[in-house]
Amino acid sequence: MADQFTPTEHSQLWDRFRTGSPGAFSQLYRSFAADLYSYGYRLVRHKELVEDCLHELFLHIHENRSRLGYTDNIRYYLCRALRRRLAESVERLNRLESSPCLLDRPAFLTHSYESLLIDEQVVAHQQRVLETAMNRLPKRQKEILHLVYLQGLTYPQAAEVMNLSIKSVYNTVHVALKTLRGQVKPYSKHQAFFGF
């Protein structure tokens, strides 16, 4: 999802939150919780685990708000923290029993900006084709595309969230988009199929 705040608005909201504003905390939760849940669920297909980690994350930042560092991109900050928390939880569960796998066949929901201009049935068909193609991508490619195109992170931010080099992120996005183009091209009756 594209960001609704400018970097200045991000830093102002974050600073109000860090100084104890209850309204700022409520705004943080309302603005980011749904997207964070969606991101977490794409990583770990386990509803309760994602909900627990998300609630723990918001509780943690609330309790430690005065010690938190500066940020001018709250979405990036929270995505990175949630991913780390989920990875730790999955690792703990893996030691105890079989647990959900990171990015285990997530159902990416893609929305075309052109959907208002073309017939709903064609859009539904294109979405199914693209969703199927996305689910065939390797886990890393799916996660990077989600961070960059659905969460609106920059390439350097996605690289830091995933602990990769920026070059790896660029290369992975390039390969993923090339693969998607190849997979959706045979089904496309329109020149611009989801912008590919």
Side-chain angles (χ1 to χ4, degrees):
M1 167 178 273
D3 210 331
Q4 61 193 22
F5 299 111
T6 66
T8 301
E9 291 168 334
H10 271 278
S11 61
Q12 289 172 348
L13 174 59
W14 191 248
D15 286 343
R16 286 197 326 271
F17 161 66
R18 290 192 303 163
T19 56
S21 165
F25 180 72
S26 295
Q27 187 176 359
L28 277 179
Y29 192 86
R30 284 192 316 271
S31 299
F32 299 103
D35 286 345
L36 287 167
Y37 175 81
S38 177
Y39 172 58
Y41 192 69
R42 282 177 171 84
L43 292 174
V44 179
R45 303 293 282 185
H46 191 288
K47 183 177 182 285
E48 291 80 13
L49 179 65
V50 175
E51 287 174 354
D52 288 347
C53 286
L54 186 58
H55 291 141
E56 288 170 11
L57 172 60
F58 275 97
L59 181 62
H60 173 79
I61 66 169
H62 186 269
E63 290 176 347
N64 296 282
R65 62 190 175 275
S66 63
R67 293 190 295 267
L68 298 176
Y70 166 84
T71 186
D72 64 356
N73 190 327
I74 298 167
R75 183 181 309 279
Y76 159 69
Y77 185 96
L78 295 176
C79 277
R80 187 172 177 212
L82 179 62
R83 186 180 196 272
R84 185 173 49 248
R85 193 170 288 268
L86 284 168
E88 290 168 359
S89 296
V90 168
E91 187 177 326
R92 268 195 314 274
L93 286 173
N94 278 336
R95 286 195 297 262
L96 300 172
E97 58 182 77
S98 64
S99 66
C101 297
L102 284 176
L103 290 171
D104 185 19
R105 301 194 51 82
F108 274 79
L109 301 175
T110 356
H111 300 285
S112 167
Y113 291 109
E114 299 172 358
S115 63
L116 298 175
L117 306 175
I118 53 181
D119 182 71
E120 286 182 8
Q121 290 180 342
V122 173
V123 172
H125 173 71
Q126 289 178 337
Q127 286 177 330
R128 283 192 303 273
V129 169
L130 184 58
E131 200 172 295
T132 300
M134 288 282 285
N135 285 324
R136 289 183 185 144
L137 292 175
K139 295 174 186 178
R140 179 184 285 186
Q141 291 179 12
K142 285 187 277 196
E143 184 176 358
I144 290 176
L145 289 180
H146 177 81
L147 288 172
V148 172
Y149 290 104
L150 298 178
Q151 289 294 327
L153 297 187
T154 64
Y155 283 70
Q157 289 168 342
E160 194 167 339
V161 166
M162 294 186 66
N163 199 24
L164 298 171
S165 70
I166 295 173
K167 183 176 181 182
S168 291
V169 172
Y170 277 110
N171 289 341
T172 303
V173 168
H174 174 75
V175 169
L177 292 178
K178 185 176 179 181
T179 302
L180 287 176
R181 283 186 195 104
Q183 290 182 13
V184 300
K185 189 174 181 181
Y187 298 97
S188 176
K189 295 181 181 178
H190 301 278
Q191 190 172 355
F193 185 87
F194 286 106
F196 290 112

